[in-house]
Amino acid sequence: MAGQSVQRQLWEQYDHLVEGNWVEPASGEYVETVDPGTEEPITAVADGTAADVDRAVTAAIEAFATWRDTDPVERGQRVGRVADLIRDHLDELAQIESRDQGKPLSQARHELEGAARYFEYYGGAADKLEGSSIPVGPDGVDYTVREPYGVSAQIIPWNLPGNLFARGVAPALAAGNAVVVKPAPTTPLSAFYLAELCHEAGIPGGAVNVVSGGGAAGAALTEHEGVDTITFTGSVVTGQKVMEAAAKSITPVTLELGGKNPAIVYPDADLERAVEAVAMGIFTNAGQVCSAADRALVHESVYDEFVDRIAAVAEGYDLGHGLDDPEMGPLNSADHLAKVAGYLDTGKAEGATLVTGGEVRDGEGYFVEPTVFADAHNDMRIAQEEIFGPVLTVLPFDNDTDVFDVANDVDYGLTAGVFTTDLARAHRAAKRLEAGNVYVNQWFGDTNRTPFGGYKQSGIGREKGLAALDSYLQTKNVAIDLG
Ligand code: NAD
């Protein structure tokens, strides 16, 4: 609750967090969250409906008036204070995230340290959101101011829950908006915790609300007339629904959607470095990363060696419960396990060479073996569709291939990578690749300071960096006639 210390352990049941108070769901319904490493229930979480969303949006509208007018220095300091509190609570937060999502504990820590950085970074920006002055001659004055929208809806997926909460909430708050967050139904726990830390840092309760639940709560939020801007991270299919709902009231949307990201490995690449980066790029978080290195396009002269080496890396991974901090945890849910298992069957049926992995692990938990499919063609489903699991698709190319035609021949355009020791080749590749983020001789090259977002069906708008603030500020031009 606002101003009070946050919980120090998991509760048996979570209500919605509205205006700094725990509020029972209007339906009285709760859903269980499950530990993906054991398939045992963790806790029960309120199942949100339109009535809960309405309550939270109403609270946000009220809080916005005060938060918007809080001195930007003070506003920034409070946002920055959240970073300190996240660091103070890092151990417990990471444990909750690891248990809820399934990810290895050290990855959860790393992502939550990243969450702290978002609050620190955007807290520092709150008093620098300057407009501009436009020369209009001696008889006029013209200037712009940047103003918050009002209520920002934040809809979050289940793969990096705490980190993505911070990625959207921190810039929204720094810009003076109030937020209503709808976390994913299988990973809501870090959102509650982080919202409480926001309140403890002095951000008004009504400026950070959390309504848990699934698609019904998400849809109600995107349709609510009190919402002024929507940030959605998730799949393309849901993103399309969000856009349709937003179209009714012309509400702006920032969409961060999926990817099927190519990693091009040239003959002159440092192969060890390329293998290491692509393995990290596809196997981190069991492949449940939008910017993952999904497709390796490897020159034929280094193809066999690349495939052998990356298969060896995949075979060396130890899988286990997230809290035991293995190299790879389970997938997040039974539904998602079924989806990834379906792609393992598809890859085999399409005739790609299964080099390693390819099976769901027996026993408790939603574990999939790190998998490498080689000799794939770009028209195969495993080369075109986002699997969102630890499954790498490798395709060879030769000197006669325009590798960019292959790399760009997908509906997505989120990230792309190029591995070469030739600087000119790297720059040429960066120009040709149709992706919002290009990594050279590394993977996951972006930081919280660098703009991130998709070309094509990977999204609209940019998160991270100063560019993200454009999603949370609208420009007003003031024209004055001095005559
Ligand atoms: P999803 O689209 O199924 O769900 C995302 C969120 O939307 C969840 O909170 C869900 O409850 C909610 N939702 C469901 N139906 C809704 C509706 N009709 N209206 C509004 N909200 C609704 O996605 P997911 O399976 O949770 O996440 C995986 C997807 O997210 C992948 O495609 C991945 O690439 C993408 N992703 C993108 C980024 C990025 O920055 N580009 C980051 C992480 C994940």
Side-chain angles (χ1 to χ4, degrees):
M1 258 150 273
Q4 294 181 14
S5 268
V6 297
Q7 79 267 21
R8 298 283 184 270
Q9 58 190 4
L10 278 175
W11 294 352
E12 277 179 19
Q13 184 171 296
Y14 285 78
D15 292 329
H16 302 303
L17 188 53
V18 177
E19 221 176 345
N21 299 309
W22 294 101
V23 177
E24 286 180 15
S27 66
E29 299 289 324
Y30 294 81
V31 284
E32 256 180 8
T33 59
V34 169
D35 179 330
T38 62
E39 304 180 38
E40 297 290 325
I42 303 177
T43 181
V45 179
D47 194 9
T49 56
D52 303 310
V53 165
D54 185 53
R55 194 165 174 170
V57 173
T58 304
I61 290 169
E62 254 176 57
F64 170 61
T66 321
W67 183 241
R68 172 194 53 197
D69 291 338
T70 302
D71 182 306
V73 174
E74 178 65 29
R75 205 168 63 222
Q77 285 169 345
R78 292 191 206 179
V79 171
R81 211 172 290 146
V82 182
D84 300 335
L85 290 170
I86 291 174
R87 290 180 181 125
D88 290 348
H89 293 265
L90 197 59
D91 286 342
E92 194 190 24
L93 252 172
Q95 281 179 28
I96 288 175
E97 187 84 319
S98 169
R99 197 152 167 231
D100 207 19
Q101 205 283 336
K103 64 184 70 231
L105 193 57
S106 53
Q107 282 178 34
R109 274 188 80 88
H110 178 71
E111 288 169 23
L112 290 157
E113 280 163 4
R117 281 287 297 133
Y118 282 120
F119 282 97
E120 191 169 61
Y121 177 85
Y122 289 110
D127 59 355
K128 302 170 190 70
L129 304 173
E130 298 170 354
S132 58
S133 154
I134 293 116
V136 288
D139 297 328
V141 171
D142 194 294
Y143 63 91
T144 64
V145 285
R146 303 179 78 197
E147 297 182 337
Y149 279 91
V151 177
S152 157
Q154 299 276 337
I155 300 175
I156 299 177
W158 45 260
N159 60 333
L160 312 164
N163 185 274
L164 296 182
F165 175 105
R167 188 176 81 176
V169 169
L173 289 174
N177 300 277
V179 300
V180 177
V181 181
K182 210 294 285 169
T186 57
T187 55
L189 302 180
S190 56
F192 288 120
Y193 203 134
L194 290 169
E196 285 196 294
L197 293 182
C198 290
H199 302 156
E200 193 170 316
I203 297 165
V208 186
N209 307 278
V210 179
V211 176
S212 50
L221 191 54
T222 57
E223 286 160 11
H224 199 291
E225 293 204 339
V227 167
D228 302 295
T229 183
I230 299 168
T231 296
F232 170 81
T233 306
S235 61
V236 171
V237 174
T238 314
Q240 287 165 332
K241 290 183 194 159
V242 169
M243 248 180 124
E244 272 175 41
K248 291 188 190 121
S249 52
I250 318 290
T251 302
V253 290
T254 301
L255 300 178
E256 295 289 356
L257 309 177
K260 189 70 182 180
N261 311 301
I264 302 174
V265 182
Y266 282 105
D268 62 1
D270 174 339
L271 208 58
E272 193 175 331
R273 189 166 168 180
V275 166
E276 205 177 285
V278 173
M280 193 262 293
I282 187 63
F283 297 131
T284 296
N285 203 31
Q288 302 163 111
V289 184
C290 52
S291 50
D294 307 286
R295 288 184 298 152
L297 314 186
V298 185
H299 191 269
E300 58 179 2
S301 62
V302 291
Y303 184 80
D304 289 342
E305 193 180 347
F306 178 90
V307 171
D308 287 350
R309 284 201 197 192
I310 206 150
V313 175
E315 283 159 11
Y317 273 83
D318 72 301
L319 272 60
H321 193 282
L323 288 177
D324 295 331
D325 205 21
E327 282 156 327
M328 192 184 290
L331 298 180
N332 177 244
S333 66
D335 284 353
H336 191 54
L337 179 73
K339 181 187 157 191
V340 174
Y343 277 110
L344 298 177
D345 293 341
T346 302
K348 294 169 195 166
E350 285 179 315
T353 305
L354 178 63
V355 184
T356 189
E359 299 296 331
V360 169
R361 203 179 76 172
D362 285 340
E364 63 184 22
Y366 309 129
F367 292 93
V368 168
E369 292 174 352
T371 297
V372 177
F373 280 114
D375 309 328
H377 303 291
N378 210 37
D379 54 3
M380 291 178 175
R381 284 182 59 204
I382 59 162
Q384 288 289 322
E385 298 175 18
E386 185 183 45
I387 299 173
F388 224 53
V391 183
L392 176 68
T393 303
V394 193
L395 302 87
F397 72 91
D398 59 25
N399 289 338
D400 296 330
T401 315
D402 183 339
V403 69
F404 303 109
D405 281 351
V406 183
N408 293 332
D409 182 23
V410 278
D411 291 335
Y412 295 105
L414 190 58
T415 67
V418 52
F419 294 86
T420 176
T421 47
D422 179 339
L423 194 60
R425 179 176 256 169
H427 280 297
R428 266 188 231 111
K431 284 182 199 290
R432 289 281 309 275
L433 287 164
E434 294 169 359
N437 292 72
V438 175
Y439 309 135
V440 178
N441 294 328
Q442 63 175 339
W443 205 266
F444 300 134
D446 34 80
T447 72
N448 69 334
R449 288 157 283 164
T450 50
F452 181 84
Y455 280 26
K456 302 194 281 190
Q457 289 190 19
S458 288
I460 297 174
R462 291 293 174 268
E463 297 276 18
K464 306 187 177 189
L466 294 177
L469 290 161
D470 293 341
S471 298
Y472 301 108
L473 292 163
Q474 44 194 343
T475 298
K476 177 183 281 174
N477 188 80
V478 181
I480 303 169
D481 183 352
L482 298 178

